[in-house]
Amino acid sequence: MADKREKFGGRLAVILAMAGSAIGLGNIWRFPYMVGEHGGAAFVIVYVIATLLISLPVFLAEVMIGRRSHTNARDAFARLSRQHPFWKTTGYLTILIPTLIACYYSVIGGWSLGYFIQSCSLSLTRMPPENVSRQFGSFVSSAWIPVAMHLVFLGVTVGVVAGGVKSGIEKFSKVSLPVLFVLIVLILAYSVTLPGAGEGVRYLLHPDWSELTPRTFAYAMGQSFYSLSLGMGAIITYGSYVSKKENILATSAGTAVSDLLFAILAGFAIMPAVFAAGIEPGAGPGLIFQSVPYVFARMGATMPVLSAITAILFFLTIIVAAMTSCISLVEVGVSFLMERKGMTRGRACLVLFLVCGGFGVLCSLSFGPLSGVTVAGMSIFDLFDWVCSNILLLLMALLVVLFVGWILPRRVVYDEFTNGGRLRLNHLLFPVFWFLIKWVAPVAVVIIFFTNFIL
Ligand code: PFF
């Protein structure tokens, strides 16, 4: 069984696939806003420190669990703990969380597809700017179009996963990641040359040290976790496709750097345009489906061709970024069904399509016909997001760090970190990693958890 498992083709393939998972909506609609609101350049420094000290060790821990166990995320915990009942049960969380996220992540992917089509038909750039906001409301509540778009987006995502690790996921990431970087640089070039864009650049860069409160640290850590796809089984699953010869410190650092770079580029691509149009920046769906389209609609009057092209490129960027992330979410469940239930890849993909498609339809309809259905005051969509991002993700991340720091023997962790002592630099850095994963990371995760609830 172990020999038949697929593998990524090499270091670049690993970094591109993992960066594909990491770079997503989090980089585009949350990071730029957080930077602007929490101290500009000062926040970026905190973010880099949080990533180096906490997220990177957790990332490495996930890759290790995957590579060492050489199996899907659920069985990884069972195998490495020698079938301990607690970890056998816990492992199921790693399958549940990404599957739940894929349900609503693909709904947003569907919206991007809808906006991409509107940009291609020029209806977006010809719209009176004051109608843009209302149009978003009527689009998402219109029931069948967003549902259809969600199913198309999910269908293509699952189609890539069905192609397999090497000829599906790896091939797709090898093309799409470089394309993503080119696209975001093109949009950035358009954005920073608009009249009035300087305000947006200042918004991102002004270092405001007074903003650096304990809360800022917790926000930076939370964002860094989400952005690096931690606590969701995705990196454990991708880790299981990494060869024993690979230096996991180098691949993990490469992924973290690409993710940060893309987030910063996204900030400079979006905020200057938003400021140039004279509107307040925000975060979340409002930023990419209301504020940015407003910019395109406004600029459409004076620069119709350039605005239309940029709108098309912008929504294409979002579709591709969301898709490479969604692929990693779906692959978690697929690898589980293949290895635990003995399904073929095709059949496992079909099951994931039906499950995520079905629940995703409910999430999508919660903006329209099902808007009256609420749990604890939240719509179905918000409930999925809240439970996954604020509770399950952090719970899972805590279990990962406790597992590597306290359950796995130190010898095993050393062996994975240094490839059996062969990597000199990793050998020297091991005590630092060990301290961070054993002591710093668990405390940090607990702090983020309580900050989310109490502050
Ligand atoms: N990292 C993705 C983002 O920043 O949008 C979100 C994500 C994708 C989280 C895949 C988890 C995951 F497994």
Side-chain angles (χ1 to χ4, degrees):
M1 168 92 145
D3 299 332
K4 278 197 274 143
R5 262 187 132 249
E6 287 193 78
K7 262 203 213 88
F8 286 129
R11 177 169 304 177
L12 188 65
V14 175
I15 296 180
L16 290 177
M18 289 188 175
S21 171
I23 295 172
L25 296 166
N27 303 57
I28 299 171
W29 80 22
R30 249 175 99 207
F31 184 82
Y33 175 78
M34 288 195 127
V35 171
E37 292 302 300
H38 297 286
F43 180 86
V44 176
I45 294 172
V46 174
Y47 185 87
V48 170
I49 295 173
T51 302
L52 278 179
L53 295 187
I54 298 141
S55 310
L56 194 55
V58 180
F59 195 96
L60 277 157
E62 292 207 3
V63 179
M64 269 177 199
I65 294 177
R67 184 168 78 158
R68 186 77 184 186
S69 63
H70 206 57
T71 186
N72 64 84
R74 184 275 164 187
D75 290 337
F77 286 95
R79 193 173 279 182
L80 296 179
S81 68
R82 297 174 196 258
Q83 310 299 328
H84 188 286
F86 174 79
W87 294 105
K88 268 168 82 175
T89 318
T90 298
Y92 283 106
L93 262 184
T94 57
I95 312 300
L96 176 73
I97 305 174
T99 308
L100 287 177
I101 299 184
C103 302
Y104 69 86
Y105 210 83
S106 54
V107 170
I108 303 164
W111 294 351
S112 322
L113 192 57
Y115 271 70
F116 175 73
I117 295 170
Q118 281 188 42
S119 308
C120 291
S121 70
L122 303 183
S123 63
L124 188 69
T125 36
R126 286 191 180 147
M127 189 179 298
E130 60 282 6
N131 290 357
V132 167
S133 230
R134 205 167 347 110
Q135 200 269 343
F136 175 64
S138 45
F139 171 70
V140 296
S141 57
S142 66
W144 299 115
I145 300 177
V147 164
M149 295 291 156
H150 148 68
L151 293 175
V152 171
F153 178 89
L154 188 64
V156 177
T157 305
V158 170
V160 174
V161 175
V165 174
K166 243 183 138 89
S167 20
I169 301 175
E170 181 176 322
K171 248 195 193 144
F172 188 77
S173 340
K174 273 190 168 158
V175 177
S176 58
L177 257 277
V179 168
L180 270 183
F181 274 90
V182 171
L183 288 176
I184 203 78
V185 169
L186 289 177
I187 300 165
L188 187 152
Y190 163 86
S191 178
V192 295
T193 48
L194 291 173
E199 229 0 81
V201 175
R202 229 163 291 131
Y203 172 77
L204 290 169
L205 286 184
H206 73 283
D208 184 354
W209 301 101
S210 67
E211 283 287 342
L212 295 189
T213 58
R215 202 183 174 142
T216 320
F217 280 85
Y219 280 160
M221 282 191 281
Q223 167 66 13
S224 167
F225 263 49
Y226 183 80
S227 195
L228 284 174
S229 304
L230 297 175
M232 310 201 195
I235 301 304
I236 298 180
T237 306
Y238 276 10
S240 73
Y241 304 133
V242 173
S243 124
K244 295 279 176 213
K245 287 194 246 85
E246 205 50 71
N247 178 350
I248 59 173
L249 180 58
T251 49
S252 305
T255 305
V257 169
S258 328
D259 185 54
L260 176 65
L261 184 63
F262 190 87
I264 292 177
L265 290 173
F268 284 105
I270 294 174
M271 290 307 175
V274 167
F275 276 86
I279 47 178
E280 277 295 305
L287 181 67
I288 56 176
F289 297 109
Q290 289 174 307
S291 305
V292 176
Y294 176 85
V295 177
F296 293 135
R298 250 191 75 170
M299 305 302 168
T302 46
M303 304 184 277
V305 179
L306 193 58
S307 294
I309 295 175
T310 319
I312 292 169
L313 297 183
F314 180 74
F315 288 107
L316 186 61
T317 308
I318 295 181
I319 293 172
V320 177
M323 195 170 281
T324 49
S325 295
C326 204
I327 285 171
S328 71
L329 292 165
V330 171
E331 176 63 18
V332 181
V334 167
S335 69
F336 168 74
L337 291 178
M338 285 170 68
E339 286 170 348
R340 181 117 290 261
K341 305 283 173 212
M343 289 187 192
T344 60
R345 184 168 272 275
R347 183 172 281 261
C349 284
L350 183 64
V351 171
L352 261 290
F353 178 76
L354 294 175
V355 171
C356 300
F359 284 106
V361 167
L362 295 181
C363 290
S364 181
L365 292 178
S366 72
F367 289 91
L370 297 184
S371 60
V373 182
T374 57
V375 180
M378 284 181 270
S379 69
I380 303 174
F381 182 99
D382 290 342
L383 181 73
F384 268 59
D385 184 25
W386 187 82
V387 170
C388 292
S389 314
N390 290 319
I391 300 180
L392 296 179
L393 179 162
L394 293 172
L395 181 63
M396 196 61 232
L398 183 63
L399 290 169
V400 164
V401 294
L402 293 179
F403 190 74
V404 172
W406 295 89
I407 305 290
L408 281 186
R410 188 178 192 274
R411 165 189 58 76
V412 169
V413 179
Y414 173 82
D415 197 44
E416 279 300 311
F417 192 78
T418 62
N419 289 2
R422 278 188 293 279
L423 302 168
R424 291 300 304 157
L425 179 65
N426 298 27
H427 167 77
L428 293 176
L429 289 173
F430 182 72
V432 181
F433 169 75
W434 188 242
F435 175 73
L436 291 175
I437 207 72
K438 214 171 165 67
W439 301 105
V440 180
V443 174
V445 178
V446 171
I447 292 177
I448 312 175
F449 190 78
F450 284 105
T451 314
N452 281 350
F453 278 96
I454 298 168
L455 292 182

